[in-house]
Amino acid sequence: MYKKYVVALVIFMCSVWAEDVPKVVASIDSLKISRHELAELLNDRYQLLEGKVKRDKSAEYEVINSLQKRVVLAALEELITLRLTKSKLTKLKVKCVPKEYVEEAKRAEKPFFTMYAKWGLSNPISFLDSLSKILKGDKKLNDKYGPAVKNLSLKFRLSVEDRKEILKIWSAVEKSSLHGKARMHVFKHHSITMKNFKTRVKVNAMLRKYIIQNKSNKDIQEIMDKESFPLSGGIIRLSHILFFTIDPVSKKELPAEEQKKLYQKMIKMKKKIVSGGNFEKMAEKYSDDETTKYKNGDLGFVPRWGMFAKEIIEVAYKSKKDEIKGPIKTEFGYHLIKVTDVKKGKDLPTSELREKAIERYVAMKKEKILKKWYGDAKITRFFR
C-alpha cells in the first residue's frame, strides 16, 4: 500500500513539473526555442527513448520528466548559447571551410580524451575492458598491445610503471586508425552525442575564425610577455586557509558585521604566520575547508586557467614561493594562500609560445564576446 502511494505521488509530481514546460521554452530576440528542441537534445544525450522524440506533449514530457530540473535548465542554457552565437555569426557572414571544422573538432575532443584517461587510471578494470574492445578493431594493434592489456587487467594492484604502460597504450590508440572507435567510448562516458558535438564544433569554429580575423597582435604579445611561465607548462602548488562567509546550511551570505570580524581575524592570523607562525598548523586548526585542512591546506598543483577561483589564481601566479598573500575574497569566503612549490615549464621557441598565446587570446575573447552578446540580446526563458 505504501509503495503504491509513493509511486502515485512521484507520478503526480512529475506531471506538475511537466505542466511548467510550455511549447516555446525560450526566445532570443525574434528566435524561438521549442520544447521539442529541448526534449530532442536531452533524449539524444541521455538515450531516454528509442529513436527520435515524437512531436507531441506526452513524448516531450516523458523525456523532460525523466531528468532533474537543474539538468533540463542547464540544457536549455546550452541551447540558448548555441542559437545566439550561431545567429550573431551568421549575421556577421562568418563562414568556415571543412579543414577549419576538422581542426576545431580535434581541439574540442582533446580534453575529453585526457579526462577519460585520468578517469581510467582511477577505474582501471573498466578502462582496460574498454581498451580491449577498442583494440579488436585493428589486428596489428591488437597483436601488439592486446596481451599487455590482458596481463594488466589480471593484476590485483597496479604499480606506477603499470599505469604508465596503460597511458602509453591509450596514447597509441588515440593516434591510430582506432581513434574514431576510441572517441565513441569517450563520448559515451561523457554523455556527448556526435550530433550535439558537431553542432558545437561548427559554432565554435565560426566564433574562433571571427576572433582570429579581428585579432590584436599587441594583445597577443602582451599575453606572451605576462604569461610565458604558464604558457610554457609552468605550474604552482598552492595551500590555503579558508574562512566561510556563507552559511553552510542556508548557503546565504553572512551579515556584513560577521564578515568584517572574519576579515580582521584573518589579518591577525596572517601577521602571526609572517612573524614565524606555522601556516600548515594554522590551516589544520582554523580552516573551514574540510577537504584540505587535514592536508596542511594543500590544494595540489593548480593550473593557471580554468579550474580555480580567478581571484586566487591571479594573485597566486604573481607570488613567490612561500610568500603569504591575502585575505582574498571569493564567493566562498576569505582565503590566505601560500605557494608551496613551483615547477618550471619547457623552453619553447617563440613561434610555439605565440601559438599558445593565440589559443589563450581566443579563449579570453570568446568569454568577452559571449558576455556582450548575452547583454545585447533580449533573452526570455518561459520556465524556471
Side-chain angles (χ1 to χ4, degrees), residues 224-236:
M224 288 175 70
D225 294 339
K226 288 184 177 180
E227 306 288 3
S228 60
F229 173 72
L231 287 174
S232 61
I235 194 167
I236 61 171

Side-chain angles (χ1 to χ4, degrees), residues 288-351:
D288 288 332
D289 185 352
E290 294 293 332
T291 59
T292 64
K293 67 184 294 178
Y294 299 113
K295 298 188 293 180
N296 300 325
D298 182 39
L299 290 162
F301 283 96
V302 296
R304 174 67 177 87
W305 300 287
M307 284 181 68
F308 284 83
K310 284 183 181 179
E311 301 92 337
I312 291 176
I313 295 302
E314 290 290 337
V315 175
Y317 268 82
K318 292 173 185 173
S319 303
K320 295 174 183 175
K321 189 183 174 186
D322 295 326
E323 194 175 2
I324 310 299
K325 288 291 182 77
I328 301 165
K329 183 73 163 66
T330 70
E331 61 179 306
F332 304 106
Y334 289 112
H335 306 251
L336 274 187
I337 64 167
K338 177 184 176 182
V339 175
T340 57
D341 196 4
V342 177
K343 278 189 178 178
K344 290 184 178 179
K346 298 175 182 176
D347 289 326
L348 299 177
T350 305
S351 58

Side-chain angles (χ1 to χ4, degrees), residues 243-283:
F243 288 170
F244 279 137
T245 56
I246 52 171
D247 186 283
V249 179
S250 67
K251 306 297 180 187
K252 291 180 180 178
E253 283 271 334
L254 295 175
E257 195 59 39
E258 285 187 47
Q259 291 196 38
K260 189 178 178 181
K261 286 178 183 177
L262 289 170
Y263 178 83
Q264 290 168 344
K265 182 181 175 183
M266 187 164 273
I267 289 287
K268 288 179 182 177
M269 184 183 290
K270 182 182 179 181
K271 286 179 180 176
K272 282 184 182 179
I273 295 167
V274 171
S275 301
N278 189 294
F279 184 97
E280 290 72 24
K281 286 182 179 177
M282 293 278 194

Side-chain angles (χ1 to χ4, degrees), residues 106-118:
K106 286 178 182 176
R107 277 190 294 270
E109 69 181 23
K110 193 172 181 180
F112 293 109
F113 271 82
T114 303
M115 285 188 284
Y116 187 66
K118 284 182 179 178

Side-chain angles (χ1 to χ4, degrees), residues 25-26 33-34 38 41-42 71-81 374 381-383:
V25 290
I33 297 174
S34 69
L38 179 60
L41 172 63
L42 292 166
V71 175
V72 176
L73 291 172
L76 177 60
E77 289 307 311
E78 186 181 333
L79 274 175
I80 289 170
T81 302
Y374 255 83
R381 298 160 184 84
F382 295 107
F383 83 101

